[in-house]
């Protein structure tokens, strides 16, 4: 008997598959066109841009689809894919990097104390966002910084976390994990610098 896969794991698997599919065709005309369309979707709502319907919804597991308005899974998939396209723009290196959380990636932006304050404030805006659209908006600023420094992020993981952020207790756990990841990496670097 097969085990039922949770929705958050389906979101993660679907986004991982989509990103790898996009990466496989990234140097073709259609692939570049798809990425450009996804970038146009940043800051918009799922379903708002008809050119994205197939990119977002084609082969999406039926239980993840909304009934009237966009479901939490659709928001998570849409946000992760559009931000990935933004992040990948202009970068030769594949920006989808497994096991790199938002907190860990943000910590890689810190080069001095001023950076730490600035990046911590940016993360603060992300974790205090009150809606999926606000969350996507504030994540966009972090992604733009990561892109400039060619720091990757695990987008399948991000999609899973964005989905789970719709549930208060899980949201608290994710925000806590991002904070830990931000400071644990910094602490390790500080200790290495002292040796």
């Amino acid at each position: 008997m097969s085990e039922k896969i949770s929705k958050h794991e389906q979101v993660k698997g679907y986004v991982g598959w989509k990103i790898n599919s996009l990466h496989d065709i990234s140097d073709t005309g259609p692939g570049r066109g798809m990425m450009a369309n996804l970038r146009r979707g940043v800051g918009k709502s799922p379903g708002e841009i008809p050119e994205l319907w197939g990119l977002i919804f084609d082969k999406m597991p039926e239980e993840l689809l909304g009934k009237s308005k966009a479901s939490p899974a659709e928001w998570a998939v849409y946000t992760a894919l559009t931000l990935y396209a933004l992040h990948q723009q202009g970068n030769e290196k594949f920006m989808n990097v497994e096991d790199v959380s938002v907190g860990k990636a943000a910590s890689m932006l810190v080069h001095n104390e001023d950076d730490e304050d600035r990046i911590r404030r940016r993360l603060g805006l992300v974790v205090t966002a009150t809606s999926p659209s606000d969350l996507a908006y504030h994540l966009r600023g972090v992604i733009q910084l990561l892109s400039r420094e060619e720091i990757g992020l695990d987008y399948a993981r991000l999609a899973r976390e964005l989905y789970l952020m719709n549930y208060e207790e899980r949201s608290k756990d994710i925000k806590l994990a991002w904070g830990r990841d931000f400071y644990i990496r910094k602490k390790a670097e500080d200790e290495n610098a002292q040796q």
Side-chain angles (χ1 to χ4, degrees):
M1 190 162 94
S2 67
E3 193 175 309
K4 184 171 167 64
I5 300 172
S6 63
K7 284 187 179 182
H8 62 88
E9 288 302 323
Q10 288 182 57
V11 165
K12 181 180 180 183
Y14 182 71
V15 168
W17 171 74
K18 279 286 189 179
I19 286 176
N20 286 322
S21 299
L22 286 165
H23 183 66
D24 288 345
I25 61 168
S26 63
D27 60 351
T28 67
R32 285 188 292 274
M34 288 177 193
M35 293 293 279
N37 282 337
L38 281 167
R39 284 190 299 274
R40 283 189 24 234
V42 173
K44 307 257 187 317
S45 300
E48 198 172 327
I49 299 177
E51 293 83 6
L52 296 182
W53 294 347
L55 284 167
I56 303 298
F57 303 119
D58 185 38
K59 297 184 175 57
M60 183 182 277
E62 194 171 323
E63 54 271 20
L64 300 181
L65 299 172
K67 301 296 182 233
S68 56
K69 63 180 185 169
S71 71
E74 289 170 328
W75 265 106
V77 167
Y78 181 85
T79 301
L81 290 177
T82 56
L83 290 175
Y84 161 71
L86 178 68
H87 195 168
Q88 192 62 55
Q89 184 179 24
N91 285 307
E92 293 293 320
K93 204 166 86 170
F94 190 29
M95 291 291 100
N96 184 53
V97 179
E98 205 169 311
D99 293 327
V100 178
S101 72
V102 169
K104 184 175 182 178
S107 75
M108 293 180 215
L109 293 166
V110 177
H111 305 296
N112 57 49
E113 285 184 34
D114 290 340
D115 286 348
E116 183 177 335
D117 289 341
R118 183 173 53 89
I119 302 304
R120 188 183 62 247
R121 282 193 305 274
R122 288 244 184 185
L123 277 178
L125 293 171
V126 171
V127 300
T128 58
T130 57
S131 70
S133 59
D134 285 345
L135 182 58
Y137 176 80
H138 292 299
L139 272 171
R140 177 186 190 169
V142 173
I143 299 306
Q144 289 169 323
L145 294 173
L146 295 174
S147 182
R148 275 187 227 131
E149 294 201 27
E150 296 185 339
I151 297 168
L153 181 68
D154 187 336
Y155 279 91
R157 176 181 177 161
L158 176 63
R160 177 184 174 274
E161 291 170 336
L162 291 173
Y163 174 79
L164 289 172
M165 288 179 108
N166 289 283
Y167 304 96
E168 188 175 346
E169 280 306 309
R170 297 304 291 269
S171 179
K172 289 177 187 176
D173 293 344
I174 290 162
K175 292 170 185 179
L176 177 63
W178 287 354
R180 278 189 196 125
D181 289 348
F182 183 73
Y183 278 99
I184 287 172
R185 183 175 185 286
K186 184 192 174 315
K187 180 182 174 194
E189 286 178 353
D190 289 348
E191 288 171 358
N192 287 338
Q194 291 174 2
Q195 293 177 356

